[in-house]
């Protein structure tokens, strides 16, 4: 963590972002609506965000919007404020979803971003990320707070990155990890317990393994 003046983030400075606009081609069915127990992944992630104290909006980045009705139904019994966004840049992958979501939050606010196939939110890791983003030099908050894990999500993205995202999308440079390397970033080392947050269920095999190991 950097030294410097603490500029505490308030609850409204943090919004939840769930990226659910992918084609789920490796899974063969919409990952956001995969059942885990008696709920679907989208609902599980949204409820975890609310339970973790994210008091801004929960933004569902739904790609082209064709699945929005199903997503609304999945969240219909969840008490929270949800907003659905569609990609301005179609068929451009997760960068387009990230751009659509961050474009609707206030300048200097953060989106806590998870992919719709990540079933575990680590509250301790999120708390450390927020604390790290609050410890800044000269009032300048980092563009992203992420971990040393080679995974771009379960991370805080500042809305200040929207112009960079737009430029990359217009150039059709869609490499997420390359985008991350260009940002002013803080990186945290996750504890072994926190590393569970980087489980993703993006293939039938990983989904079956997770169901076997966690829902016995």
């Amino acid at each position: 963590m950097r030294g410097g003046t603490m500029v505490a983030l308030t609850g409204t400075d943090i919004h939840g972002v769930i990226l659910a606009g992918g084609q789920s081609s490796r899974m063969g069915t919409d990952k956001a609506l995969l059942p885990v127990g008696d709920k679907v992944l989208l609902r599980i992630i949204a409820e975890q965000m609310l339970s973790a104290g994210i008091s801004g909006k929960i933004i569902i980045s739904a790609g082209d919007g064709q699945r929005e009705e199903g997503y609304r139904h999945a969240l219909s019994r969840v008490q929270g404020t949800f907003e659905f966004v569609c990609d301005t840049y179609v068929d451009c992958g997760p960068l387009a979803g990230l751009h659509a979501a961050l474009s609707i939050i206030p300048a200097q606010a953060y989106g806590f971003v998870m992919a719709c196939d990540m079933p575990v939110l680590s509250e301790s890791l999120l708390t450390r990320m927020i604390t790290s983003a609050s410890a800044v030099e000269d009032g300048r908050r980092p563009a992203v707070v992420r971990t040393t894990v080679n995974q771009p999500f379960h991370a805080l993205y500042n809305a200040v990155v929207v112009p960079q995202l737009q430029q990359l999308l217009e150039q059709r440079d869609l490499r997420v990890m390359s985008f991350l390397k260009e940002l002013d970033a803080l990186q945290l080392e996750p504890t072994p317990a926190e590393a569970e947050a980087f489980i993703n269920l993006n293939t039938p095999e990983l989904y079956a393994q997770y169901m076997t190991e966690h829902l016995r």
Side-chain angles (χ1 to χ4, degrees), residues 17 19 61 87-89 92-105 111 113 143-144 152-153 156-183:
V17 174
L19 299 180
S61 189
D87 295 349
T88 301
Y89 298 89
C92 288
L95 284 188
L98 189 60
H99 171 267
L102 296 181
S103 292
I104 67 166
I105 69 174
V113 182
V144 62
F153 305 128
L156 288 173
Y157 287 82
N158 196 292
V160 73
V161 305
V162 168
Q164 291 167 270
L165 282 166
Q166 182 175 340
Q167 182 178 26
L168 290 173
L169 288 161
E170 290 178 350
Q171 295 171 349
R172 303 289 291 188
D173 184 351
L174 310 180
R175 298 167 296 175
V176 180
M177 296 309 293
S178 295
F179 164 64
L180 275 176
K181 290 177 182 178
E182 299 299 319
L183 298 179

Side-chain angles (χ1 to χ4, degrees), residues 18 20 32-33 39-50 58-62 67-84:
I18 304 174
L33 299 180
K39 300 177 182 178
V40 298
L41 272 176
L42 182 66
R43 177 173 174 175
I44 289 168
I45 297 167
E47 288 181 338
Q48 288 183 92
M49 285 184 172
L50 293 167
I58 306 296
I59 303 164
I60 314 301
S61 189
R67 287 162 287 184
E68 183 177 330
E69 183 177 353
Y71 294 166
R72 286 187 182 275
H73 178 73
L75 298 173
S76 60
R77 296 186 180 182
V78 182
Q79 297 298 312
T81 301
F82 299 103
E83 189 160 345
F84 295 80

